[in-house]
Amino acid sequence: MDILIAEDDPVSRIRLQRVLESFGYRVTAVENGAHAWEAFDRAEGLMVAILDWMMPDIDGIELCRRLKSDPDKRYHYVIMLTVKNRTDDIVGAMDAGADDFISKPFNADELKVRVRAAARIVRLQEELLFKANYDGLTGTFSRRMIMDMLAREAKRAQRTGASLTVAMLDIDYFKRINDRYGHSAGDAVLQVVSQRVVKELRATDLVGRYGGEEFVLILPDCALAAAVEVAERLRQAIRSVPVESGGEWVNVTASIGLAASSSSAESPLDGQAMLDSADRALYRAKEGGRDRVQS
Ligand SMILES: [Mg+2]
């Protein structure tokens, strides 16, 4: 775990760094708030920040407030370092979003347990984030995550003029599978189908579980004709081998609806509108007899 120290007093800064390094942490130490702010952008693994309250330019409180109110910044556990220990000062620090505080001069044993507690919270936070971003059953992205990615990819395609195709994939007669073979068979089908989909796609393609038995696929830099070929390959891969569950073999097919960005689009590219269009194509694929690709 990486720890950032922002402290303008060199004696305190060096002592903090040495003590934390002796505990086995990787430490980045900076002497003012501006450098600390830059470090938050640079350091990938940085999770815990120990910020001195009183610093020139950007002080610890201001830094903490900026960090916590910036939606592009990931979660950081902030420990405020302060000579102040009046209750209302501490309340002020907590109000700014600080997670904990340590009074100066610090005690090494106390620092150790505080940082250990911070590491525990950071790990929990990471776990929560993982659960929010991935579907627990299939390991594909969660609905929320794939929708965020769709919005981002639509913006990118708009900016660069690259093609973009969105697919909506739905497992055919999924309710019948659940009714006939049970829910664990349904779960196995969802897992195997998502594996087959991921295996057929490029590393740059994105897959998320949209709901029940429905998946959203985002194919960046992929125009409609190429996407139809990809979708056909997926469809074949899904139906190629029945899915085994509890000694039974379940035949599985899927229908896929596609929507591609048009290069001549005058209105801004809208991910949600593309998804709606893919959904309408999926509906036509279902109407047309299922186990097919429709654009
Ligand atoms: Mg200071």
Side-chain angles (χ1 to χ4, degrees), residues 10 15 18 49 62 68 72 75 80 94 103 110 119 131 133 163 178 185 222 231 250 255 257 263 274 279 293:
R15 182 166 167 247
R18 282 193 187 143
E62 176 58 22
K68 299 281 178 171
D72 292 334
Y75 173 80
M80 201 62 72
M94 295 311 211
S103 333
E110 186 189 344
K131 282 181 181 155
N133 290 348
S163 20
N178 274 321
C222 189
V250 185
S255 303
S263 54
M274 286 183 75
D279 199 36
V293 174

Side-chain angles (χ1 to χ4, degrees), residues 7-8 52 54:
E7 158 69 296
D8 61 326
D52 187 28
M54 304 288 278

Side-chain angles (χ1 to χ4, degrees), residues 43 47 56 79 96 102 115 124 134 139 145 149 175 178-179 184 220 227 285:
M47 303 298 281
I79 300 174
I102 293 172
V115 171
L124 277 173
Y134 293 91
M145 191 67 169
M149 288 169 154
K175 191 177 176 306
N178 274 321
D179 290 348
S184 58

Side-chain angles (χ1 to χ4, degrees), residues 6-9 52-56 81 104:
E7 158 69 296
D8 61 326
D9 172 18
D52 187 28
W53 182 308
M54 304 288 278
M55 285 187 292
L81 194 58
K104 288 198 282 192

